[in-house]
Amino acid sequence: MYNVQPTLHRVAWRGRASFMTTTHVKEGTITHPCQVGARWRNTAFSTEDEGKYMTISIISVSGNNSSRYRYALSVDGHVRTMVDEIEIRGKVGIDDNALPMTFELCDIHDKGKIRFRIIYDGKCIDLRTKRPYKKRIPVVDLDGMDGSPVILDINETLPNFATQVSYEDSTVIESMVMVEMSNAPWDSAAICGGRLSIPIGDPATPVFAKLQNGQVMIYESRILLQSNSLNQPLEDGGGGIAKATQSKVECANVPRTFLNNDSCRMSKSEDACSNIRGLASSDQTLILDKNTILDFHKTTRHSIHAVTGLSLDDPTLNYPCDGGTKSRWISIAMFDESMACTGADGNEQVNEQTAEIFRSLIQTSTDANSHMKDIYFSSNLSCHRNDLNRRKFYLTIEKECWTNVHPNEFGVYDFNPWKKIHPGGRSAINQFRNKSEFLPFPQSHDVSRWRDNSVDFPYLGRLGDSMKLEDLPYFIRNAYKDDESDIFQVSLSGPGVIICGSPGESANTDPYPVTFEMTRRNFREDDVRNVYWEREQIRQNVWTTVVLSSKDQVRQRIAWALSQILAVSPDIFDTWSNEMFTTYYDIFVRNAHGNYKDILREISYSPIMADMLTYHESKSQEIIWRTKREIQFADENYAREIMQLFSIGLHILNIDGTYKLDDDGNKMLTYTNDDIEEYARVWTGFTRQDLRGNIEAHDEKAVADSNSIDPMKINANWRDPYPKMGLEGKYIGDGYMLCADIPAKSFLKEGAMYRLLGKTKLSDVQRQFIKKNSSDADIYVTVLDENSSLREKLCNTVDGNCQYPSTVTIDHPLNCNGSECGLDQVQVVEVAENLYYEYMKPPCVRHVLFGTGQVAAVGTSPSLLLCIDKNADSAAAACCPIGSNNAKHDSCKYTGEVLPYEKAEARCFEDNMSLCQFTSIDALSCGACCSYEGIFWYGIDNSCAVIVVINKDGKIALERQDSPRQDYDSLTFFRVHWQNNYPSLENQCGNGICESVGDYCRCIPKEETEIFYKAAPQSHDVLNDLHIGGVPPSMMDYTATEVRDGIKIHFRNQIDVYDKDVVFEVKDEFGRVLFFRNIINKVKLGSNGLVSDDFGFRNPPTFMKQEAPEVRDAQYETEAALDHIFYHPNSAPFLANWMIQRLGNSNPSPRLVASVSKAFKSGIYVTSTHSFGSSTYGDLSATVAAIIMDREFRYVVLDQDMSYGSLREPL
């Protein structure tokens, strides 16, 4: 059951995947005529010739004491074949006197030779070349050809050249090289073992071969895919081919993810390439103006325009004076200097009361757009009664005329989706491409046409908006990738590059007669449906072949069951790609005998799951507001489906799958809409990996050249940074230790993890704040001493040679050595020359509200001030000499070192300086610190506080420094555990302890930490009452440990003294060992120096640093969110029931469901003779064994029971 290797569907597809091409393409290079798998055909033309121009000429042929004429058919100046007769459909023949003539080849179906067409009189019609005239492509016939074409004379009966496909009359259609005759490259003078001794150089030049029966074949160049598997990645990452083809072929090196992290290794090849470029500057911006939009037309080929001409006469639009309504205002002079401020429609004068409100909103708006202002009319404001139902306004503000327009007017959209379904055809939109930044909405159309269709148009922003490149859609970022300004100019190529592979990424050298066509270019509009069905048939062919012929039958059957639970539908994708579907299906094949948690993780990072459930490039509400001035919540689709369909279901279940009922006998829900809203914020920030070679890429009918194979990456700046309360009222961050509790020198403790970086010094953490144009020499890291125990551990010596594993976990505490002893933490360590490891900080959380805030500045010339926790290691030391405000940043131990406030203050004191409110930082005499331009502590005891804003539902938000009070609607509100009631307008904002602002209460928080237990608790009490994770003994030296009532109690100070440093070690029902500190952190509210005990809540934890979000923290948060769902009491019975149904019993008994649920929970299933599973919660081997070995599943007598049955099998 376990020893049979998985048969991957991706391998089966790639083995036969190919397409014809005469040039190198991004997916790969082209085959050599004599390498294994090279294909030869006897048809003179193929689908690859569509769109090319064919010339027909007449040639006199002599022979047998007579002469005759033949027609030569040529492409690109090379004769493909000779024919005796030729006819264009509807004509008797071709006028020989008019030759030579050139026609565009428009429709060629080479499989079965059923169609051969040219453009004639503007129409695509048949060209016939043989009586009786059939719709066949002419075969290769060189009789009478001018010149002396060199023909490779090969006997197809030899073992190196085998016939593959033939007609009924034994005419060979295709042959394939079975044994390689030469490894010579295209430009070699001697290929095919010397049989063809002319330089090829240009793959477009026809290469012919003559078979034993006299037939002539033409070489059909096809794409070559390489083997780049998980455990055997390409030694050069595909760099050799990329280099040889002048980068026409993309580097094939697979991005490093959780999937291949342990199997990546360091390349020794001089040609090694990496898809990790020097990270683009996070400050790189584009203005959405005329020049940028027209440039988008060229670089992306998408119809991106600012829409104009939208009418306000839409009955579905709110009036500008309606509470909570957004309205868009423009300065008329900016768009039309001739327009009068009264309006062409003779608009009546606006009441001054109303005018003053809108003037104030416009003038105080933080909207940075120079063309327009989007404002929100708060519900606590009120227009004059005469203006309540007015749609159009004109106002004079400081002698400048302003008017409101449709809320979408001048919005910049991608209209490519509209082109596909536009009633007037694609030309109705294409006529504006490359000509105008605007797309006018026709006045003859009802505005409902915009309203009903615009929801499907990707929205970029507004005309005039300044956008970070990273915030624009994937297809734009991909088009501009070669123009990105690197912030780190280091060559990520050659020896030392980390190379990684991908599961099932095999070569396409299987000797099958029929190939699987790859998506590689745009197909004709009238042929889209046929091509799509061809792709669907390929998927069916691959699946059927594997499940019928593979040796791992149990695995394949389990995979089929899992694919029905965690389903994606090809019908929703506007693409014909097959590799992405086989890759997705293989998630179930590879993990069929593994753990269900691994499947949840893989599907969550899958780009096609993200496409189907629409969370690909879902962004936080805060980012949407900052970039587009829109109030838009995170996409909720996946947050709902992962619970409802993939893990816990809708209703709470008993262990046997029966419903738990409330006191009234009603079913109880497992989650609420509030849970969905909170979890949706977890699924923000996911985006595709960069395009790479050696895989099938989408064409522009989908997402335009994208990577739908590799697990997605996370853009930390898009991730929602706030706490998320999930199922059972628990925060996702509950149970994790506080970042401030991580002990000094944790990088030497047991369990410390390191990741090999190879030749680059930059970790993910360092990248975000490194200056542009920094060189390798500008980055300083921790250099390990030759005698360092840590260095020895990372070296991992075998037979005297360092192995440098991809990942290393410290298995016992290490002593410090040399420079390590003077450091509390490290980021990157140098183990050998140009060889670096990154320390992986353990997952930890921060309380969103903190007792003492300290002001910090962003950048070396402070432009933005932040309020951050002074105990957080989030800022660097900027030290000023006495009496100066010109700071120095030269005391860091390595580039990018950040410190808590007090340690930064002490660092300055050591140099007889102090923290200060600096105006600038010396950029010259800063040594190891020069390349950092991140966040700096700003001043001595420059305290600050985070303000809490409370809405009518009791959810809270944090007031941003850049958010005036009328923008409270744009804040991200999240749930908290209120101690009793909460301040609201109904109770005068907590009886006056908080300030009323519009529909909200504005409060000043006070954080308090209390000891919870004074004596030894019970295990279940610890799990219910405590929420702050404790530092495990492997990382902390405790004075003593005692076991009481099944709980390990770790004392750090004095035995039996239950203080704040006590840590309880308990095991939960899922077998997890958890650690909790003996404290609870609360927040009380007040204002103006008053604090009330009546209004308070538990301080929510978050993984994300708001001031400096990190990818690693976003990954930790994602993992914690998956744990929330996976380790839920409902998961076992829900998944047990679904697996039973999909493996053969649609109506399982409660007894069987309970048995399978217990196997899922315990991770083991035992019979009288065998044991299945790993004793780990969620083990699928144990789960499936409990199903298929149960008597209920196997008893034939149950077949007679009308209530017993199963889903129809696929075959």
Side-chain angles (χ1 to χ4, degrees):
M1 185 172 178
Y2 302 109
N3 296 329
V4 180
Q5 291 298 310
T7 305
L8 299 184
H9 293 239
R10 185 184 180 197
V11 171
W13 178 84
R14 282 180 63 94
R16 297 167 61 180
S18 184
F19 65 80
M20 288 173 283
T21 177
T22 56
T23 59
H24 307 293
V25 291
K26 60 181 177 292
E27 292 93 338
T29 187
I30 54 178
T31 53
H32 182 279
C34 298
Q35 73 181 94
V36 175
R39 291 180 179 269
W40 299 70
R41 67 172 193 271
N42 76 337
T43 53
F45 301 91
S46 69
T47 55
E48 182 66 19
D49 293 316
E50 291 177 11
K52 295 181 179 179
Y53 288 87
M54 179 186 70
T55 300
I56 303 175
S57 56
I58 190 167
I59 298 175
S60 175
V61 180
S62 299
N64 298 325
N65 300 318
S66 64
S67 62
R68 58 192 175 98
Y69 291 94
R70 301 197 80 193
Y71 299 98
L73 309 184
S74 306
V75 174
D76 295 331
H78 301 288
V79 175
R80 294 286 187 86
T81 189
M82 307 286 289
V83 298
D84 294 320
E85 301 171 87
I86 195 163
E87 176 193 89
I88 298 175
R89 190 184 67 187
K91 296 178 67 66
V92 175
I94 287 184
D95 183 0
D96 293 348
N97 295 321
L99 297 179
M101 298 175 65
T102 299
F103 302 92
E104 182 181 356
L105 295 169
C106 60
D107 191 0
I108 302 176
H109 283 199
D110 54 349
K111 300 302 179 188
K113 303 183 179 61
I114 60 173
R115 192 176 297 166
F116 184 49
R117 292 178 173 180
I118 62 173
I119 298 292
Y120 187 83
D121 286 342
K123 297 179 181 179
C124 188
I125 62 177
D126 292 326
L127 182 71
R128 301 168 180 178
T129 61
K130 184 178 181 181
R131 294 182 187 273
Y133 291 124
K134 295 181 180 180
K135 299 176 182 178
R136 284 190 174 183
I137 303 171
V139 298
V140 178
D141 183 348
L142 304 184
D143 184 20
M145 181 186 293
D146 284 343
S148 301
V150 178
I151 303 175
L152 185 61
D153 188 8
I154 294 181
N155 185 337
E156 74 272 19
T157 62
L158 294 178
N160 63 342
F161 204 81
T163 300
Q164 293 294 312
V165 185
S166 63
Y167 276 138
E168 294 178 0
D169 61 2
S170 297
T171 302
V172 176
I173 299 175
E174 290 187 23
S175 293
M176 175 186 285
V177 174
M178 300 297 290
V179 179
E180 191 169 23
M181 292 184 285
S182 172
N183 285 317
W186 265 110
D187 58 357
S188 171
I191 68 169
C192 299
R195 302 188 191 195
L196 187 58
S197 59
I198 61 171
I200 299 299
D202 177 13
T205 303
V207 179
F208 300 101
K210 189 174 182 179
L211 306 184
Q212 187 181 35
N213 63 1
Q215 283 186 265
V216 179
M217 310 291 284
I218 186 172
Y219 167 61
E220 184 178 273
S221 60
R222 286 179 168 267
I223 187 175
L224 176 65
L225 300 178
Q226 301 179 88
S227 177
N228 190 27
S229 63
L230 189 66
N231 295 317
Q232 291 185 313
L234 284 166
E235 177 59 30
D236 62 0
I241 290 178
K243 183 178 180 181
T245 60
Q246 289 79 49
S247 298
K248 291 178 182 178
V249 178
E250 295 268 3
C251 176
N253 201 349
V254 181
R256 197 172 190 177
T257 66
F258 63 88
L259 200 56
N260 57 18
N261 191 40
D262 292 335
S263 60
C264 295
R265 56 188 176 83
M266 195 164 55
S267 175
K268 298 178 181 178
S269 172
E270 294 290 340
D271 294 327
C273 66
S274 172
N275 278 315
I276 301 176
R277 300 182 300 274
L279 195 62
S281 169
S282 58
D283 295 328
Q284 187 175 355
T285 58
L286 297 172
I287 305 297
L288 294 182
D289 56 14
K290 177 179 179 178
N291 292 335
T292 299
I293 292 174
L294 292 179
D295 193 48
F296 285 164
H297 296 171
K298 298 176 184 177
T299 56
T300 70
R301 297 180 294 172
H302 282 230
S303 292
I304 298 172
H305 300 276
V307 65
T308 61
L310 298 176
S311 173
L312 285 168
D313 294 329
D314 182 350
T316 65
L317 291 177
N318 290 334
Y319 295 103
C321 289
D322 289 344
T325 296
K326 182 193 83 170
S327 57
R328 180 162 294 174
W329 294 73
I330 65 169
S331 171
I332 290 178
M334 194 166 295
F335 293 93
D336 188 351
E337 297 181 355
S338 64
M339 186 180 292
C341 204
T342 56
D345 55 0
N347 199 280
E348 297 179 7
Q349 184 68 33
V350 178
N351 183 275
E352 186 56 30
Q353 171 189 332
T354 303
E356 188 55 36
I357 292 174
F358 281 112
R359 285 194 195 102
S360 176
L361 292 175
I362 293 171
Q363 289 177 311
T364 59
S365 170
T366 59
D367 193 337
N369 191 299
S370 59
H371 291 68
M372 63 197 74
K373 304 293 178 187
D374 282 355
I375 62 172
Y376 282 82
F377 197 87
S378 177
S379 57
N380 67 314
L381 300 174
S382 179
C383 292
H384 188 272
R385 62 178 181 275
N386 293 342
D387 298 320
L388 292 176
N389 295 328
R390 185 189 297 275
R391 292 199 180 278
K392 188 70 172 176
F393 293 83
Y394 292 91
L395 302 174
T396 301
I397 302 177
E398 296 180 353
K399 298 182 180 181
E400 190 174 6
C401 185
W402 287 75
T403 186
N404 65 307
V405 294
H406 189 283
N408 300 142
E409 187 82 353
F410 301 114
V412 180
Y413 296 85
D414 177 15
F415 288 95
N416 258 33
W418 184 225
K419 291 195 299 187
K420 302 174 186 178
I421 59 174
H422 193 283
R426 303 171 73 91
S427 60
I429 305 299
N430 281 339
Q431 63 178 314
F432 298 98
R433 192 170 136 199
N434 297 320
K435 296 178 181 177
S436 175
E437 74 272 32
F438 297 117
L439 182 71
F441 184 80
Q443 296 304 302
S444 59
H445 292 174
D446 189 86
V447 72
S448 62
R449 186 161 168 175
W450 169 261
R451 184 177 65 245
D452 296 341
N453 291 286
S454 60
V455 292
D456 297 323
F457 309 158
Y459 176 60
L460 276 65
R462 302 165 302 167
L463 191 69
D465 276 350
S466 177
M467 304 288 293
K468 288 185 178 181
L469 182 61
E470 69 168 1
D471 292 332
L472 291 169
Y474 178 92
F475 67 89
I476 293 179
R477 299 199 309 274
N478 193 52
Y480 277 76
K481 68 178 181 179
D482 294 330
D483 297 328
E484 292 176 356
S485 299
D486 288 351
I487 65 166
F488 191 63
Q489 306 296 330
V490 59
S491 173
L492 294 179
S493 60
V497 162
I498 301 300
I499 51 173
C500 305
S502 175
E505 191 159 315
S506 59
N508 60 338
T509 54
D510 290 351
Y512 286 96
V514 179
T515 59
F516 294 150
E517 198 72 8
M518 292 175 63
T519 300
R520 80 284 185 189
R521 60 180 174 82
N522 294 326
F523 294 93
R524 298 177 305 281
E525 291 293 317
D526 61 356
D527 202 32
V528 167
R529 190 168 185 81
N530 291 334
V531 172
Y532 174 81
W533 285 113
E534 183 184 337
R535 300 300 186 273
E536 185 175 36
Q537 290 164 1
I538 290 173
R539 285 195 292 273
Q540 294 172 356
N541 185 308
V542 170
W543 186 88
T544 305
T545 301
V546 171
V547 300
L548 288 180
S549 62
S550 64
K551 295 181 179 180
D552 54 338
Q553 287 293 302
V554 175
R555 180 188 294 275
Q556 296 296 331
R557 187 60 185 84
I558 298 171
W560 171 250
L562 290 167
S563 73
Q564 296 171 75
I565 298 172
L566 304 120
V568 294
S569 172
D571 295 335
I572 71 165
F573 296 97
D574 192 11
T575 180
W576 312 306
S577 172
N578 275 320
E579 187 169 12
M580 70 178 190
F581 286 108
T582 55
T583 300
Y584 181 80
Y585 192 90
D586 280 345
I587 293 174
F588 313 126
V589 176
R590 288 185 287 102
N591 294 289
H593 296 315
N595 196 285
Y596 192 76
K597 167 68 180 300
D598 296 327
I599 293 176
L600 277 182
R601 182 189 301 110
E602 285 203 48
I603 66 152
S604 297
Y605 279 85
S606 167
I608 65 171
M609 177 62 78
D611 280 344
M612 193 184 82
L613 292 179
T614 62
Y615 64 100
H616 178 249
E617 299 207 342
S618 176
K619 300 180 179 70
S620 70
Q621 182 179 339
E622 198 162 275
I623 286 292
I624 294 294
W625 175 255
R626 176 173 64 80
T627 59
K628 301 178 180 179
R629 302 294 289 187
E630 294 279 339
I631 296 178
Q632 180 177 315
F633 301 117
D635 189 277
E636 297 178 358
N637 274 346
Y638 189 63
R640 179 186 303 104
E641 302 306 321
I642 192 175
M643 292 188 290
Q644 180 179 339
L645 300 179
F646 302 161
S647 59
I648 63 173
L650 280 172
H651 298 101
I652 299 177
L653 304 174
N654 294 302
I655 191 68
D656 62 2
T658 58
Y659 294 111
K660 283 188 176 181
L661 306 177
D662 62 17
D663 294 338
D664 297 323
N666 299 317
K667 299 175 185 176
M668 296 183 289
L669 295 173
T670 52
Y671 61 87
T672 66
N673 284 334
D674 282 337
D675 293 325
I676 293 172
E677 290 178 11
E678 298 266 328
Y679 279 121
R681 295 189 287 112
V682 174
W683 304 111
T684 53
F686 287 87
T687 185
R688 278 173 163 78
Q689 300 283 356
D690 290 338
L691 182 67
R692 65 178 178 89
N694 209 44
I695 58 174
E696 183 180 32
H698 287 155
D699 61 7
E700 69 175 19
K701 291 194 172 298
V703 195
D705 294 344
S706 64
N707 184 340
S708 292
I709 305 300
D710 302 317
M712 294 183 293
K713 59 185 176 181
I714 300 177
N715 184 329
N717 292 323
W718 294 351
R719 173 60 67 96
D720 180 283
Y722 298 106
K724 290 98 178 170
M725 183 192 294
L727 298 170
E728 300 178 305
K730 299 176 182 178
Y731 288 105
I732 289 175
D734 282 350
Y736 285 84
M737 61 180 165
L738 296 175
C739 297
D741 288 348
I742 295 177
K745 293 184 173 53
S746 61
F747 61 94
L748 295 173
K749 304 290 185 180
E750 179 182 344
M753 297 181 65
Y754 289 81
R755 186 177 74 152
L756 179 64
L757 294 178
K759 68 187 300 180
T760 178
K761 296 179 179 179
L762 278 184
S763 67
D764 291 336
V765 176
Q766 287 175 309
R767 287 174 180 270
Q768 58 183 334
F769 289 130
I770 299 299
K771 287 181 181 179
K772 281 185 181 181
N773 303 320
S774 296
S775 67
D776 184 72
D778 296 327
I779 309 300
Y780 290 77
V781 301
T782 303
V783 180
L784 300 184
D785 190 84
E786 287 188 2
N787 299 318
S788 166
S789 299
L790 176 59
R791 180 184 180 279
E792 181 181 353
K793 190 68 179 177
L794 297 176
C795 173
N796 188 32
T797 303
V798 176
D799 296 331
N801 297 314
C802 288
Q803 301 302 302
Y804 300 123
S806 179
T807 58
V808 176
T809 301
I810 305 301
D811 55 7
H812 64 274
L814 302 177
N815 295 321
C816 68
N817 187 283
S819 60
E820 305 161 19
C821 298
L823 295 173
D824 288 339
Q825 298 296 345
V826 298
Q827 285 184 350
V828 175
V829 296
E830 183 179 56
V831 182
E833 185 177 1
N834 292 326
L835 200 156
Y836 307 94
Y837 272 88
E838 173 188 13
Y839 169 58
M840 306 294 288
K841 180 196 67 179
C844 62
V845 296
R846 305 153 185 82
H847 283 130
V848 72
L849 297 166
F850 35 84
T852 306
Q854 188 72 21
V855 176
V858 179
T860 54
S861 297
S863 56
L864 176 65
L865 299 181
L866 305 173
C867 185
I868 59 179
D869 185 358
K870 68 183 302 182
N871 295 317
D873 53 349
S874 296
C879 309
C880 289
I882 303 301
S884 172
N885 58 4
N886 293 318
K888 293 182 177 293
H889 174 51
D890 58 2
S891 59
C892 68
K893 303 297 184 183
Y894 51 83
T895 304
E897 182 189 27
V898 289
L899 304 165
Y901 174 80
E902 290 184 356
K903 290 187 177 180
E905 188 176 36
R907 189 73 63 83
C908 292
F909 184 76
E910 291 174 0
D911 295 329
N912 295 318
M913 292 188 285
S914 64
L915 296 174
C916 59
Q917 297 184 20
F918 58 88
T919 56
S920 64
I921 295 178
D922 186 353
L924 297 177
S925 57
C926 42
C929 314
C930 287
S931 291
Y932 174 81
E933 56 178 4
I935 300 174
F936 298 89
W937 293 112
Y938 192 68
I940 299 178
D941 296 327
N942 191 5
S943 61
C944 58
V946 176
I947 305 301
V948 171
V949 180
I950 307 170
N951 69 9
K952 60 183 178 61
D953 299 319
K955 296 180 180 180
I956 75 167
L958 307 183
E959 183 180 275
R960 298 191 302 264
Q961 263 118 354
D962 62 341
S963 175
R965 298 183 182 184
Q966 69 262 31
D967 284 348
Y968 277 178
D969 290 343
S970 71
L971 297 178
T972 300
F973 287 86
F974 52 90
R975 293 184 292 176
V976 294
H977 282 291
W978 287 101
Q979 180 178 320
N980 295 303
N981 198 3
Y982 59 86
S984 65
L985 298 183
E986 295 179 355
N987 59 26
Q988 293 76 49
C989 284
N991 303 318
I993 67 161
C994 297
E995 176 187 4
S996 172
V997 180
D999 296 333
Y1000 306 94
C1001 293
R1002 182 178 186 269
C1003 312
I1004 297 176
K1006 181 182 178 182
E1007 178 240 21
E1008 295 180 350
T1009 299
E1010 299 176 359
I1011 298 172
F1012 196 82
Y1013 289 117
K1014 303 295 184 182
Q1018 298 293 313
S1019 176
H1020 63 86
D1021 290 330
V1022 171
L1023 291 169
N1024 289 330
D1025 297 335
L1026 299 181
H1027 309 284
I1028 300 174
V1031 180
S1034 60
M1035 294 179 64
M1036 180 72 73
D1037 295 327
Y1038 290 97
T1039 301
T1041 296
E1042 295 194 358
V1043 180
R1044 299 178 184 177
D1045 297 326
I1047 304 177
K1048 285 186 178 180
I1049 306 174
H1050 303 283
F1051 297 97
R1052 190 176 180 192
N1053 298 317
Q1054 185 176 345
I1055 298 178
D1056 285 338
V1057 175
Y1058 288 82
D1059 57 19
K1060 63 182 179 62
D1061 293 321
V1062 167
V1063 169
F1064 300 103
E1065 180 179 341
V1066 297
K1067 183 178 288 188
D1068 69 2
E1069 62 174 301
F1070 308 106
R1072 293 181 297 175
V1073 176
L1074 305 174
F1075 300 88
F1076 292 95
R1077 280 190 68 185
N1078 186 29
I1079 59 173
I1080 186 168
N1081 191 271
K1082 297 180 179 179
V1083 175
K1084 297 180 179 180
L1085 300 177
S1087 65
N1088 300 321
L1090 300 175
V1091 177
S1092 172
D1093 291 331
D1094 297 329
F1095 303 97
F1097 53 84
R1098 177 159 71 88
N1099 202 352
T1102 179
F1103 286 88
M1104 304 300 294
K1105 287 196 292 187
Q1106 296 175 32
E1107 64 274 10
E1110 296 177 9
V1111 171
R1112 190 185 303 143
D1113 289 336
Q1115 293 169 342
Y1116 287 153
E1117 183 182 59
T1118 302
E1119 196 70 12
L1122 291 173
D1123 284 344
H1124 249 226
I1125 298 166
F1126 180 61
Y1127 294 106
H1128 186 277
N1130 233 48
S1131 293
F1134 176 78
L1135 291 170
N1137 190 55
W1138 276 52
M1139 287 295 290
I1140 295 169
Q1141 290 177 338
R1142 280 147 187 81
L1143 284 172
N1145 186 346
S1146 295
N1147 299 297
S1149 68
R1151 180 203 62 81
L1152 176 57
V1153 174
S1155 174
V1156 176
S1157 298
K1158 291 174 183 177
F1160 184 92
K1161 290 190 68 174
S1162 65
I1164 193 166
Y1165 181 76
V1166 180
T1167 70
S1168 59
T1169 57
H1170 292 84
S1171 176
F1172 301 90
S1174 61
S1175 298
T1176 303
Y1177 174 86
D1179 187 282
L1180 289 175
S1181 290
T1183 304
V1184 173
I1187 297 172
I1188 64 178
M1189 302 192 73
D1190 189 86
R1191 65 179 187 271
E1192 185 175 322
F1193 193 81
R1194 295 184 294 154
Y1195 277 9
V1196 179
V1197 69
L1198 289 175
D1199 293 340
Q1200 307 302 316
D1201 188 340
M1202 295 298 291
S1203 66
Y1204 183 84
S1206 64
L1207 297 175
R1208 181 178 178 180
E1209 293 294 322
L1211 294 173

